[in-house]
Amino acid sequence: LLKTERSPCTRGTFLFKGTSSMPWTPGHRLLLAWTADVIAGRAGSAPCGWPTDRLIAIASAERVLPILSTGAAFADPAMRASVGTGIRNAVLLDLTRRACSALAGASVPVMLLKGIDLCERVYGNPALRPMHDVDLLVPRASIPPALAAISTVGLRAEEAPGEGVLRHSVVLSGPPPLRPHIHLHWHVANASYPLPYAETIDLEGLWGRSIPWTGAPGAARVPSPEDLAVYLCEHLVKHCCEEWIFAVDLLLTLRRLRPDPPAFARIARSWGVEHLCEAALRVVEGLFPRLGAGAFRDLVGPVPLTHLEHVFVRQVLSGRRSAGVNWLVYLAHCPTTRARARQLWKGVFPDAADLASLDPEEAARGRWTAYAQRGWKAVERILGR
């Protein structure tokens, strides 16, 4: 299964292939095609033959409804969604500026990840990109002063940092009724399960290539276009592209920031995630063919994927995007049979310290139970059930 397969998937032809019982409906297919038209500036009327309320529900679940407001169809619901997104993001933008100013006052370097940065630099309009929270990156040694500084703007940590050895972040929440959140990271590889590339990511290079954030010059930084594209590839695979917005983020970054392909390839290799980037680019290319992801991949230089990685791409493009399917990529990512066995063992029988990295809602179901349920769900999706 791990033998390298050098015959790449045919561009634009493997969308929705896979097993016969595909979880995506014809409504998903219609909406994907229309979303691609909106991104390409070819927006017209919404596709007919499917109930409008169902299409709106799908767009909302995939978090692409606000960006559809730039098209001609779904005008009222999409516009309402974009207005709501704009209001929430305005609150989060204000929170981000105040937090970054507090961190600058404490001499703590800070970098924006995703969210606000994407809204401004990539989407060009904060009303088009929904956000759950604000993701900030600080050096590991600066966590104590960073928490103290952010507490001055009215947020408190929901958990103590460093309780787990896998999740490299802590969540801080604000007061009701809006309860804005800041997700404070000290590493870009952040999960409650083992990531085989976590130790190879070059954080020093990420900071060195970063550029000032225009929203608060001198107080915060944002990744270079190439680092942002690599990070979005890693993020898409880590979350199995469970929402189309992850693919839209990456696609718009490629189209509007135009990262340098050779620099992108160098960073991906230095981070040890070139296979993750190849898989992510193939997913974006499959979802939104002929919009630039394939051309960018050609300039970067395609990376031969293993059979398991091809299975991952096919599963995601068929709609089977549950947590755990990305283990197909992580297993193929391991260089030796021993490393793959250790990765599997850690996933099924995690260390006690790893269990402490589970999300609070997962831990509430019982730590071992949460791992077992997640693993079984992944097996079902991989088998196509």
Side-chain angles (χ1 to χ4, degrees):
L1 287 177
L2 294 169
K3 182 179 179 181
T4 298
E5 203 171 77
R6 295 190 176 274
S7 55
C9 298
T10 302
R11 178 166 305 141
T13 64
F14 57 93
L15 180 60
F16 304 113
K17 286 186 178 180
T19 62
S20 58
S21 58
M22 295 179 294
W24 276 350
T25 65
H28 287 85
R29 305 184 191 191
L30 290 171
L31 188 61
L32 257 181
W34 189 65
T35 303
D37 286 342
V38 171
I39 293 173
R42 302 189 298 264
S45 59
C48 58
W50 196 260
T52 301
D53 58 339
R54 294 288 300 278
L55 293 174
I56 292 173
I58 294 172
S60 180
E62 302 290 348
R63 293 206 290 162
V64 297
L65 185 56
I67 198 173
L68 296 182
S69 65
T70 60
F74 303 156
D76 290 340
M79 187 59 65
R80 287 195 296 270
S82 66
V83 170
T85 297
I87 293 173
R88 176 168 177 79
N89 287 356
V91 173
L92 293 177
L93 175 60
D94 175 69
L95 174 67
T96 303
R97 286 176 174 155
R98 290 188 291 118
C100 289
S101 296
L103 290 168
S107 300
V108 175
V110 59
M111 187 187 305
L112 275 63
L113 298 176
K114 302 188 281 87
I116 295 294
D117 179 31
L118 290 173
C119 285
E120 296 185 335
R121 240 195 328 169
V122 175
Y123 286 78
N125 185 341
L128 300 182
R129 207 284 184 178
M131 291 196 309
H132 294 316
D133 53 23
V134 175
D135 292 278
L136 301 178
L137 177 70
V138 300
R140 178 67 179 92
S142 300
I143 289 298
L147 292 175
I150 294 179
S151 68
T152 63
V153 299
L155 276 72
R156 62 177 182 83
E158 294 186 352
E159 54 190 339
E163 288 183 348
V165 298
L166 296 175
R167 178 174 301 156
H168 302 111
S169 67
V170 61
V171 176
L172 300 99
S173 60
L178 294 179
R179 297 188 65 81
H181 284 67
I182 285 181
H183 202 178
L184 189 66
H185 301 253
W186 53 88
H187 199 296
V188 296
N190 179 62
S192 58
Y193 49 86
L195 298 175
Y197 52 84
E199 297 180 359
T200 60
I201 291 181
D202 179 19
L203 291 176
E204 183 176 347
L206 172 67
W207 282 100
R209 292 183 295 268
S210 63
I211 58 180
W213 176 39
T214 57
R221 305 186 70 81
V222 294
S224 69
E226 295 76 22
D227 282 293
L228 177 61
V230 173
Y231 173 63
L232 291 176
C233 286
E234 185 272 343
H235 190 258
L236 182 150
V237 172
K238 182 172 66 180
H239 290 287
C240 301
C241 197
E242 59 189 7
E243 297 165 341
W244 292 345
I245 194 67
F246 296 143
V248 174
D249 288 345
L250 179 55
L251 178 61
L252 291 182
T253 296
L254 299 179
R255 289 172 62 88
R256 297 179 179 177
L257 298 188
R258 299 189 180 278
D260 179 60
F264 172 92
R266 287 195 300 270
I267 294 169
R269 286 193 299 268
S270 70
W271 285 21
V273 296
E274 60 268 31
H275 277 238
L276 272 71
C277 291
E278 174 75 8
L281 290 173
R282 289 186 182 222
V283 167
V284 175
E285 183 184 358
L287 292 175
F288 304 109
R290 298 179 298 278
L291 289 187
F296 181 80
R297 187 167 68 87
D298 290 339
L299 293 173
V300 169
V303 177
L305 297 184
T306 67
H307 177 73
L308 285 182
E309 290 167 327
H310 279 300
V311 171
F312 166 80
V313 173
R314 289 195 296 269
Q315 291 289 74
V316 172
L317 291 178
S318 71
R320 295 183 173 87
R321 303 169 288 170
S322 295
V325 178
N326 47 13
W327 277 68
L328 291 167
V329 180
Y330 296 152
L331 288 177
H333 190 92
C334 297
T336 65
T337 301
R338 181 178 180 180
R340 289 190 288 272
R342 186 174 185 275
Q343 179 80 3
L344 269 176
W345 180 267
K346 292 273 289 182
V348 179
F349 300 104
D351 297 336
D354 296 349
L355 289 173
S357 297
L358 284 173
D359 289 322
E361 57 268 25
E362 289 183 304
R365 300 199 307 267
R367 299 186 187 278
W368 292 100
T369 302
Y371 250 82
Q373 289 177 346
R374 185 164 58 183
W376 180 247
K377 181 182 288 188
V379 170
E380 287 184 326
R381 294 298 182 271
I382 291 169
L383 295 177
R385 297 184 177 182

